């Protein structure tokens, strides 16, 4: 139940944890006006997101990716962090939050003040050439091109650049995945936020924490496969973080 009493329990657990880690999914960004994928109003309900983020299809027709993501990825610089992002940033600044593992590519955790962000599905910060080494373009440069109806191109071969996010058919970035696993194993408390816990291997992070004797708390607007193993479960992210914000800023 999303009661104040139970939210106070979250804060007490955070304060007393030796190694507190957070794992976030697309649901944390819905308060910033970004639609999630599998939620009640998710992108999967009205578009073929699997096709948009399919590596083989990107090779075949990169325009399909850029045309379909122009309105929800390449306008991300206009989005502002929500109370979830800023509270997590504050918890890190106060020394409680040791690491933030995220499936998200929207860069809002960084905008919210978090420094130790592990992006296990890659990052939009860089767009790179699939054929030429060391040809890269920043998100800001690529975004300006895409919003004007174009596609970012390699200055050497003229090929279309790909964002450094993980598409279906690609492995997760090895260094980020290994770091996320180590943080999850070390965590005695993990706050799991806005994720359905259905996309592996990323969704396995809370299981590493549980396997090593740590506790997990889940806040998500839909049931997850780990609800029964969680110490506490909540549905409303905004309610939980508004109360946490009051507690950490007393």
């Amino acid at each position: 139940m999303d009661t104040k009493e139970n939210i106070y329990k979250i804060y007490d657990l955070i304060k007393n944890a030796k190694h507190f880690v957070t794992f976030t999914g697309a649901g944390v960004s819905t308060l910033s006006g970004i639609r999630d994928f599998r939620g009640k109003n998710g992108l999967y309900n009205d578009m073929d997101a699997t096709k948009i983020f399919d590596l083989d299809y990107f090779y075949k027709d990169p325009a399909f990716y850029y045309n379909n993501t122009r309105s929800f990825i390449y306008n991300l610089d206009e989005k502002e962090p929500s109370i979830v992002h800023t509270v997590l940033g504050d918890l890190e600044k106060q020394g409680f939050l040791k690491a933030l593992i995220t499936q998200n590519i929207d860069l809002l955790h960084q905008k919210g003040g978090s420094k130790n962000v592990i992006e296990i599905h890659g990052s939009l910060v860089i767009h790179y050439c699939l054929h030429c080494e060391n040809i890269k373009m920043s998100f800001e440069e690529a975004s300006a091109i895409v919003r004007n109806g174009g596609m970012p191109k390699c200055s050497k071969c003229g090929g279309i650049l790909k964002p450094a996010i993980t598409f279906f058919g690609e492995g997760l970035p090895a260094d980020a995945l290994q770091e996320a696993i180590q943080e999850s194993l070390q965590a005695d408390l993990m706050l799991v936020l806005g994720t359905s816990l259905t996309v592996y291997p990323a969704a396995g992070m809370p299981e590493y924490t549980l396997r090593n004797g740590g506790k997990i708390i889940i806040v998500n607007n839909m049931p997850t496969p780990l609800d029964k193993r969680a110490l506490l479960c909540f549905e409303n992210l905004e309610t939980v973080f508004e109360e946490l914000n009051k507690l950490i800023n007393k």
Side-chain angles (χ1 to χ4, degrees), residues 37-38 44 49-56 58 65 69 73-74 102-106 118-128 130 162-177 199-202:
F37 286 91
R38 293 173 176 80
Y44 274 95
T50 304
K51 189 175 178 181
I52 292 171
F53 296 103
D54 181 86
L55 183 62
D56 289 336
F58 185 87
Y65 162 80
T69 58
I73 285 183
Y74 292 94
T102 187
Q103 297 172 282
N104 299 341
I105 58 168
D106 52 39
I118 304 168
E119 297 174 301
I120 53 176
H121 283 168
S123 178
L124 279 173
V125 169
I126 296 296
H127 286 57
Y128 67 97
L130 291 162
K162 178 189 175 295
I165 59 176
T166 304
F167 278 42
F168 297 108
E170 288 185 297
L172 299 185
D175 290 345
L177 179 59
V199 179
Y200 283 82

Side-chain angles (χ1 to χ4, degrees), residues 108-122:
L108 288 177
H109 283 303
Q110 292 88 333
K111 280 189 177 182
S114 295
K115 304 295 183 185
N116 189 15
V117 181
I118 304 168
E119 297 174 301
I120 53 176
H121 283 168

Side-chain angles (χ1 to χ4, degrees), residues 214-231:
K215 299 179 176 67
I216 67 170
I217 297 169
I218 297 174
V219 189
N220 194 55
N221 65 358
M222 297 174 67
T224 82
L226 292 182
D227 285 358
K228 291 182 179 179
R229 299 176 65 188
L231 183 65

Side-chain angles (χ1 to χ4, degrees), residues 8-51:
Y8 292 160
K9 289 180 183 178
I10 296 179
Y11 186 52
D12 285 337
L13 287 162
I14 289 172
K15 288 192 299 181
N16 293 314
K18 294 180 179 178
H19 198 87
F20 166 49
V21 170
T22 297
F23 176 66
T24 70
V28 305
S29 296
T30 56
L31 295 176
S32 295
I34 299 173
R35 294 172 65 188
D36 62 10
F37 286 91
R38 293 173 176 80
K40 296 174 183 177
N41 299 304
L43 290 167
Y44 274 95
N45 293 327
D46 57 16
M47 70 169 64
D48 190 350
T50 304
K51 189 175 178 181

Side-chain angles (χ1 to χ4, degrees), residues 164-210:
I165 59 176
T166 304
F167 278 42
F168 297 108
E170 288 185 297
L172 299 185
D175 290 345
L177 179 59
Q178 188 58 39
E179 186 179 3
I181 291 172
Q182 291 303 316
E183 289 289 348
S184 299
L185 287 169
Q186 194 175 348
D188 58 340
L189 177 67
M190 176 182 281
L191 195 55
V192 181
L193 307 173
T195 173
S196 60
L197 294 177
T198 56
V199 179
Y200 283 82
M205 298 304 126
E207 295 177 16
Y208 285 111
T209 296
L210 289 167

